[in-house]
Amino acid sequence: MIKISIIGGGITGLTTALIMQKYGFNPMVYEQASQLNEVGAGIWLQPNAIKVMKWLGIKEEFVKQGKELGRVEITDAQFVPFKKMKENILHDEEGNKTIAIHRARLQTILYNEAKKYSTIKLGQKFESYSVDGERIQLRFDNSTDDCNILLAADGIDSAVRDQMFPESRLRSSNQVCWRGVSEFQLPEYLLGRGREAWHQNLRLGVSQIADNEVY
């Protein structure tokens, strides 16, 4: 039996585990955090992503815990819209709409579904791997394991990538982004909308992600 290991229990790692489950595999997921913490801010899942979640059978949970966006606009500094996103970007022919949700809730939904069939080990900080024939030996800070296939989903500072491609380098985009969530009730005319204001190399985006939460 092929043994598959995924390094990283974030959105990418957990979604990959769920997709592999659909094809009859039960991968092992390793996450360095000792518990799932409420980190990050909001995220928009566009129709293509929602189509995947529907295929995985968990779309309704996203709709329940997030907010569907019926309109997305780019505005000037006075919040006057000058560009509206095309309808086919916000929802597809199957009726899947863009959903705004807190990243922590997204991760929790994926985690609760993935752990039904896959083993998810928390508190496992990946250190290195080595190849021995058809087996890949994995070394963590407090344990070891092996597998046949190793998948890296351990983020921008990926330890797997650093070993696999030691010459790779991160490149700065020369942009800084602050993200946050506020307990706040948007006025009615902004409910179900996403807005991004542009002004002289600055951008400010806002959308509802729960009844009393704004991203």
Side-chain angles (χ1 to χ4, degrees), residues 15-160:
T15 302
T16 301
L18 287 170
I19 291 173
M20 300 196 78
Q21 290 173 9
K22 289 281 286 188
Y23 287 101
F25 299 98
N26 294 313
M28 185 85 74
V29 180
Y30 300 90
E31 167 58 39
Q32 68 174 347
S34 58
Q35 59 182 0
L36 291 183
N37 298 312
E38 188 167 302
V39 296
I43 187 172
W44 288 6
L45 299 177
Q46 295 188 347
N48 269 348
I50 301 303
K51 187 178 295 185
V52 173
M53 300 308 168
K54 182 179 180 180
W55 178 66
L56 292 173
I58 53 179
K59 173 187 172 181
E60 295 308 314
E61 193 63 29
F62 286 99
V63 175
K64 178 181 176 181
Q65 296 201 38
K67 290 294 179 181
E68 291 185 334
L69 300 180
R71 181 182 296 179
V72 174
E73 301 167 326
I74 298 176
T75 78
D76 62 19
Q78 284 70 48
F79 297 100
V80 177
F82 63 82
K83 182 176 180 60
K84 296 180 180 179
M85 297 298 179
K86 295 180 180 180
E87 293 295 314
N88 62 351
I89 295 178
L90 296 176
H91 55 79
D92 62 18
E93 69 284 352
E94 297 179 12
N96 297 305
K97 296 182 179 180
T98 298
I99 294 179
I101 189 172
H102 197 297
R103 282 178 176 269
R105 296 191 188 104
L106 167 59
Q107 185 179 16
T108 298
I109 294 170
L110 296 171
Y111 175 80
N112 289 336
E113 189 67 19
K115 71 178 183 180
K116 292 179 181 178
Y117 304 101
S118 295
T119 299
I120 303 175
K121 291 188 175 183
L122 302 178
Q124 299 290 311
K125 183 178 180 180
F126 175 83
E127 292 190 341
S128 64
Y129 72 87
S130 59
V131 180
D132 182 12
E134 295 184 356
R135 307 297 289 183
I136 302 171
Q137 306 298 323
L138 308 175
R139 187 162 68 89
F140 301 88
D141 60 345
N142 55 10
S143 65
T144 59
D145 208 337
D146 61 37
C147 62
N148 301 106
I149 298 175
L150 174 62
L151 301 178
D154 50 340
I156 192 170
D157 294 314
S158 171
V160 179

